[in-house]
Every structure is written in structure tokens, then in C-alpha cells.
Amino acid sequence: MSNVVLVTGASRYMGAAIAGRLASDERVGHVIGVDTTMPSDETTALLGRAEFIHADIRHPLIGRILAQTEPDTVVHMAVVASPARAGGRAAMKEVNVIGTMQLLAACQKTPSVSKLVVKSSVAAYGASSRDPALFTEETEPRAMPRGGYAKDIVEIEGYVRGFARRRPDVTVTVLRFAPFVGARANTTLTRYFSLPVVPTVFGRDPRVQFVHVDDALEVLHRSVLEHHPGVFNVAGPGVLSLSQAIRRAGRVPLPVPDVGLSVVAALARHSGLIDFSLDQIDFLVHGRVVDTTRLKEEFGYLPRRTVDAFDDFIRGHDLASVLSPENVKAVERTILEWIRHARR
Amino acid sequence: MPVAERTGPREPITGDIWDQRVANALAFLRRRITGEYEIDEFGFDPELSTQVIAPLLRPLYRHWFRVEVIGIENVPAAGSALVVANHSGTIALDAVMLALALYDEHPARRHLRLLGADLVFQLPVIGEYARKMGATLACMPDAERLLEAGEVVGVFPEGFKGIGKPFSERYRLQRFGRGGFVAAALRTGAPIIPVSIVGAEEIYPLIGNIRPLARLLGVPYFPVTPTFPWLGPLGLVPLPSKWLIEFGEPIYTLGDSELADDPMAVFDLADRVREIIQQNLYRLLRLRGGAFSHSSSSEDSN
């Protein structure tokens, strides 16, 4: 059905993974991955049979690539979440916002394009104390989200809506992903949970939700091959509380007062340990949980539960520490035996 | 204690209640340390609520306020219901006592899912534990989602007007906001159960309100009671008033979902609920007698 699929952001993990996955599907003719940087050894392996073209989507030349390759499906994965890996916040905004604008302009001028799949994020909803417990696709954020990534996401979705109006013949699928976790995923959030002592906000224990990388890829894959126009939340059903997630990872939470956290975040960023932005602090205060009913009904597919996705991440990263369930269980048995002994 | 009956030291210990308790407590601690428990999408942590928070509140409920519950059978054993109650007492202790009443006295041990103002969820610690105890933000999507899931939802339509009113206006119901709770019940077909709470008005008699301080702190009122802030932290000890909680007869809304968008019908029903709560309050007040009496009214109420 799909003859030529063009995937942006193909030098990064998710972009390369979906490009490689689509290339190995016999229902897909040809897969072209484009990115501004050359793929690393790891992402080259993920790309598999997909062709890689070194091209900059921020540049109008992307239009020429689209005209030459005549893709019928464009998968826009070049949406960057962390400034550190994009080379600073300015570069990140450039990739996200200017890149999306140029890509959409090119798509608009390319008649062969009949489908657009965009990787978005639940960050679009922001996070505040006045939000309902679960966001549906229709929920309007009550406050304009703080932080670069969330603002970029809001802008990107705005451009995508504009594109959909100008090219009503194109099937547009916007996937709002919860934070990725998985056995191999390496994101700001997974690095956060790998810290020996994990800073949290004092007096707050937000609900957190994740999506497993493999489930995210499955949803992307189906978006390309099937017909699912619209906006969809993609997240693992159920929630964990942040403190619960930290304990499951065998880590110790370190509550820091709200004001102190900005300092801690700045220090962490400075030391290069992890980079933390304001929207992530809002996330640590209020959490963000989405309703996945529409995904289930429309795709007939539901990602694995948040807790199962997170457990896979713990196993994959070998996070088990002194506080692993086995060790705690052993301590529990010892104490129980000791009390029984003492009471005799 | 059956310690003396035990024979060999390596015998498995059965029937020893203290051993069971120790083992349960340790298992509980282990689950908390390793995060092996479930919370729902709203953040409700049933294990923490029933194993830790409820036992902490129970002495206050039983011995301090000597809460008596009337009409618990009006709450269904299964399925959704909307519990609408009067709000009083400067600090929303009536909400937690109502939740404990429903859990302890109802045969089906039902959890009350409270809807709170956004201020509650802005505050650190309080916001965190409110969610863990099953509360969520008072907004239409959350109310409908909980009712559709068959939960018992609790609302206090008076809001801060209720708990922050001066002592001189005790047991006089304040205005009920926009009646959004009625619309939620109509839309989901949940019965409305009017609840009257007597006793919470006297725990912190509000005799003054320092408005500039309230404005500075961004709270609806800054309370002055006979003991607070004069006695410092001691002023936070609630007065031991006698409490009565009456669950009134349900008002069934099933099949009236089209009325949810009719503002007149919504206001009428909200007024009816308000009137029932007010009438029941007056009756309960006569039944109770003095606010700090030790006498029980159980002969009348049972």
C-alpha cells in the first residue's frame, strides 16, 4: 500500500527504529530516512534496509528531496525533547519549529504525499493543579505549558493543523506519546531514574505514565499502514506514583523544596548529569496522565501497562540495587525470624 | 498469649495473632519500600488509605468526636452515587470523617471519592495526600469519570463559603455554586444522597478572619478561633464536639440525562437537595442537644 515512506529524524533512536522496522515490512516499498546528522553505529544497525539521505529539514532543500523521492507517506520523527542532545535550546527550537515548518511546506508542495504521521508528546497538555486527572485528546491546557519542549510541541501541532486545513486530501495522524521507557531506551527521564538518589519535589507525589518503546513503534507502524486520521494519546494504561516508580527502580527519593529544585536542576544541567527543564519540574509536581480510550477503539491496540513498561526498563538497565525486591524480602524474612526467635 | 503452649522452637507458628500481625506489618513495609502496590488513575492508594491513614483517624472519629451515623443503608452497596454534604469547621475535617464513616459503617466498606477545590491540589503535602486518599479536582470530567466507574463521589457544594463562615452562621447552608454536581449526577444517572453533618461547626469556631493575611497567603480566609492563633500549635487541636452524620434518602436521577443541559432543572434539583440537607440539619441539631454533651442519641437514631 505504501510505496515510499520518508522518515525524518532517522539518525536518532526512534526515527531509525521505525525506519528500519518499516523497511523490513514487505507491505512497504521503499523507506528513506533523513536527518541532519549522520547515523551512529547503533542507529545504522537499526536503520537496516532503509536508505539514509543526509539532509537538513530546516533548509528549503528538503523540498527537492521530496520532489525527487515522491513519498506517499511522511513520518515526522525529528521532534527533539532535550536541548543537550540537540546542541542547546536555540538549536533544539530550530530543529523542532523551523524544521517542522520547512517539512510541512515541502509536503504541501509535493502532490504524492497522501499521509503524514507526526510524533508529538503529551507535554502538549502542560501540567497544573487545575487540570483534570486524565487528559483526553480534547482537553485544552488550562495554562500555557512552561518550558521549551512543551512550547515547541504546541507550535508544531499548530503548524500540523494548518497543514491539514490546506491539504485536506492528506491523512494526518498526530501521536501524543507519553515518555518512552524500555529495556534499551535512554532518555532524560530514564537517566533521571538511574540516579542513585532521585530528587523529587517535597510534598508532591505526582502520578506518572509511560509508554514502552516497542508499543510506540507498533502504533507508528500501524499509523503508516492503516488509516487513522486524528490526534491520539499513546500511553501505557494505569499509573505509578513517582515515589513508587523510584522505589521500584531500587532508588531512594530525595524530596527537595520546590524552590530548591530549580537550583538542583541547574547544577545537574551544569554538571552534565541530566538536563532538566521547567516543564519537567511541572511534571514532577503535578504529573500527567492521559486517557487512551480513543487509541484502543481506533487502532484496536493498547500498549502494555505503564507498570509493565517501567519494569522492563528496570530489568533492561539492570537498575536493581541494594533495595531490590529480593534483598528487601530477605531482610523481611530475617527480621521476622529474629522476632519469632526473640519472643520464644 | 499462647506462647506457653508452643512446643518445639522450629514448629511453624500458626494461630498466633501477634505473629500474624508482625508478619503482616513487615510484608506491608516491604511492599511500600519496593513499590509493589497499586494506585488508580486518580492517584488513589487504597492500601495506604485503609492500612495507615484510616487507623490514624479512627481514634479521632470514635473517641474524640464520637461520630454516630444514621441512614448508611441509603448508600448503595454497589454502583455509583453522589454524596452531597454541608461543609463546615474551618478545616475540612468533615470531609475525612465522612469518608471514614462510609468506609467503616457501610457493610460494603465503600470508599468515598471526594472532589476538592483546586487550592487543595496546589498545596504541597495536603494535595499529595488528598489524591492518595482518593480525592480529585472538582471538575466535570473527573466527576463523570468517577461516577461512570461506579464510585461513590462526595461533594461539598458550599466550598470555602461553607468551611470559612463565621461561627454565628453555624448550620446555615451557604449558596450552592453552579450546581455542577447535579448535572454530573443527571448525566451519569447516579442517585444523589443528601448528607447532613452536625458537629463539625464547633471544632474550630471561627470568630474572626484576618483578611490582609489571607490575601497575602493566597487563601480564602485566615481563621481566628478562640484558641488559634493565640495558643500556637495547641490551637490546632479541634474541640471535642459530638458529631452526627445522616445519609438522607437517595434522589434518583436515572433516565433524566437530558435535563443535565437545562439550567432551570439543574438549579431546581440543587435547591431541593440543599433544602433537604438544611431540614435534616435542624432535626439532627435538636436530636443532639448540647454540642459537647456526652450523652448518646443512639436510642433515637437507631
Side-chain angles (χ1 to χ4, degrees):
Chain A
M1 190 197 138
S2 294
N3 289 319
V4 180
V5 180
L6 185 126
V7 180
T8 66
S11 290
R12 297 166 56 82
Y13 182 85
M14 286 301 279
I18 188 61
R21 218 183 124 127
L22 288 167
S24 62
D25 189 325
E26 71 262 9
R27 289 171 291 178
V28 181
H30 187 55
V31 180
I32 304 154
V34 295
D35 208 334
T36 47
T37 53
M38 290 303 285
S40 65
D41 291 346
E42 190 204 1
T43 43
T44 305
L46 283 169
L47 277 165
R49 289 173 44 216
E51 182 193 347
F52 182 81
I53 298 179
H54 189 189
D56 193 340
I57 61 162
R58 290 168 294 181
H59 201 276
L61 278 176
I62 186 72
R64 203 177 296 165
I65 290 173
L66 260 76
Q68 278 164 10
T69 55
E70 294 195 312
D72 46 85
T73 304
V74 173
V75 183
H76 184 30
M77 300 293 290
V79 179
V80 189
S82 89
R85 289 203 281 175
R89 169 69 191 129
M92 169 182 161
K93 181 164 182 174
E94 186 119 319
V95 171
N96 287 346
V97 179
I98 308 293
T100 302
M101 281 177 81
Q102 291 287 1
L103 179 74
L104 293 179
C107 287
Q108 199 182 324
K109 280 184 277 183
T110 312
S112 65
V113 174
S114 65
K115 185 178 282 183
L116 173 71
V117 179
V118 180
K119 172 198 160 202
S120 183
S121 160
V122 294
Y125 298 114
S128 85
S129 61
R130 306 182 62 177
D131 290 319
L134 277 85
F135 294 101
T136 66
E137 287 83 353
E138 262 79 50
T139 315
E140 293 285 329
R142 299 221 176 181
M144 177 67 184
R146 289 202 296 173
Y149 182 50
K151 281 188 181 134
D152 288 359
I153 288 290
V154 171
E155 282 198 51
I156 288 167
E157 287 206 3
Y159 292 131
V160 172
R161 273 194 300 276
F163 171 81
R165 272 196 302 274
R166 288 188 293 274
R167 280 288 304 269
D169 56 312
V170 175
T171 304
V172 178
T173 305
V174 176
L175 302 172
R176 289 181 182 156
F177 288 105
F180 297 124
V181 291
R184 295 175 309 279
N186 190 11
T187 65
T188 306
L189 210 64
T190 61
R191 280 192 294 281
Y192 169 75
F193 283 108
S194 309
L195 292 169
V197 177
V198 185
T200 60
V201 182
F202 171 77
R204 308 285 186 177
D205 195 6
R207 297 156 297 138
V208 293
Q209 201 177 32
F210 306 107
V211 65
H212 196 280
V213 172
D214 295 347
D215 295 326
L217 291 172
E218 177 67 29
V219 172
L220 282 162
H221 198 130
R222 287 178 185 225
S223 303
V224 170
L225 288 175
E226 299 164 5
H227 178 75
H228 300 299
V231 180
F232 299 92
N233 291 331
V234 186
V239 301
L240 286 166
S241 76
L242 181 63
S243 67
Q244 187 184 11
I246 292 170
R247 294 208 185 95
R248 285 182 91 94
R251 295 306 196 255
V252 178
L254 173 72
V256 180
D258 207 347
V259 273
L261 198 75
S262 308
V263 180
V264 172
L267 283 173
R269 194 159 43 225
H270 200 70
S271 65
L273 204 54
I274 48 166
D275 61 295
F276 245 66
S277 59
L278 287 169
D279 57 317
Q280 279 158 330
I281 293 180
D282 280 349
F283 173 72
L284 292 182
V285 169
H286 302 293
R288 195 180 292 134
V289 178
V290 297
D291 182 307
T292 50
T293 312
R294 190 188 281 182
L295 177 76
K296 187 172 71 188
E297 283 172 2
E298 175 71 28
F299 281 71
Y301 177 79
L302 204 56
R304 74 199 75 178
R305 300 190 313 144
T306 282
V307 52
D308 298 328
F310 193 71
D311 283 354
D312 193 49
F313 154 69
I314 296 168
R315 278 193 301 274
H317 285 70
D318 207 15
L319 283 185
S321 69
V322 255
L323 286 175
S324 71
E326 296 76 36
N327 290 351
V328 176
K329 190 136 198 164
V331 172
E332 181 198 358
R333 264 197 302 273
T334 315
I335 296 177
L336 193 58
E337 285 305 315
W338 180 74
I339 290 175
R340 282 176 182 164
H341 194 77
R343 288 183 62 226
R344 266 162 212 155
Chain B
M1 295 273 272
V3 182
E5 293 167 21
R6 215 175 295 128
T7 49
R10 294 206 166 267
E11 282 271 321
I13 306 149
T14 46
D16 180 339
I17 183 164
W18 280 102
D19 188 74
Q20 263 308 311
R21 282 182 186 171
V22 170
N24 288 345
L26 283 173
F28 172 79
L29 268 179
R30 189 223 333 132
R31 285 197 300 277
R32 302 311 295 191
I33 288 172
T34 54
E36 280 164 10
Y37 53 90
E38 297 261 336
I39 63 170
D40 79 358
E41 289 169 321
F42 296 87
F44 177 41
D45 186 337
E47 193 183 58
L48 185 78
S49 299
T50 57
Q51 311 284 309
V52 179
I53 298 173
L56 286 174
L57 292 172
R58 220 161 262 142
L60 198 63
Y61 177 92
R62 288 194 185 152
H63 305 298
W64 197 255
F65 297 136
R66 297 150 286 139
V67 180
E68 278 180 53
V69 173
I70 305 163
I72 194 76
E73 68 281 357
N74 286 323
V75 180
S80 65
L82 183 72
V83 166
V84 183
N86 60 311
H87 211 10
S88 59
T90 309
I91 292 174
L93 265 183
D94 50 356
V96 285
M97 290 298 127
L98 179 62
L100 192 60
L102 187 65
Y103 180 70
D104 276 6
E105 317 281 351
H106 198 285
R109 311 220 87 184
R110 299 212 64 176
H111 294 292
L112 184 65
R113 307 301 299 267
L114 289 160
L115 300 184
D118 56 351
L119 180 69
V120 173
F121 300 97
Q122 269 169 37
L123 298 171
V125 186
I126 292 175
E128 174 186 343
Y129 282 92
R131 276 216 178 276
K132 288 185 173 173
M133 290 166 73
T136 191
L137 182 73
C139 61
M140 204 50 95
D142 285 15
E144 285 182 14
R145 193 178 286 274
L146 281 167
L147 288 171
E148 272 160 15
E151 301 280 353
V152 183
V153 175
V155 288
F156 297 91
E158 295 170 273
F160 287 111
K161 297 187 298 290
I163 48 173
K165 67 180 177 296
F167 189 62
S168 56
E169 287 176 35
R170 61 190 176 278
Y171 298 116
R172 249 178 268 156
L173 245 66
Q174 303 295 299
R175 198 168 56 79
F176 273 14
R178 281 165 292 179
F181 69 95
V182 168
L186 286 169
R187 220 164 273 153
T188 57
I192 298 174
I193 299 168
V195 170
S196 306
I197 304 173
V198 159
E201 293 276 19
E202 293 92 3
I203 58 172
Y204 300 108
L206 192 82
I207 52 174
N209 173 12
I210 310 176
R211 279 175 214 280
L213 209 51
R215 217 168 298 134
L216 191 71
L217 295 172
V219 290
Y221 53 91
F222 187 89
V224 178
T225 73
T227 55
F228 184 85
W230 329 113
L231 300 184
L234 258 183
L236 294 174
V237 177
L239 300 180
S241 54
K242 167 79 187 168
W243 285 40
L244 299 176
I245 299 178
E246 177 171 348
F247 291 85
E249 279 184 26
I251 301 168
Y252 294 100
T253 62
L254 201 62
D256 293 334
S257 58
E258 74 282 357
L259 292 179
D261 298 316
D262 176 353
M264 260 337 270
V266 168
F267 277 126
D268 278 354
L269 189 49
D271 267 350
R272 212 174 111 204
V273 174
R274 189 173 175 277
E275 199 49 42
I276 294 170
I277 297 171
Q278 183 70 76
Q279 291 310 317
N280 287 350
L281 274 178
Y282 289 142
R283 190 166 41 76
L284 289 175
L285 273 172
R286 282 195 301 275
L287 191 68
R288 181 184 67 164
F292 300 100
S293 63
H294 284 277
S295 67
S296 168
S297 59
S298 51
E299 302 90 49
D300 303 290
S301 60
N302 277 346

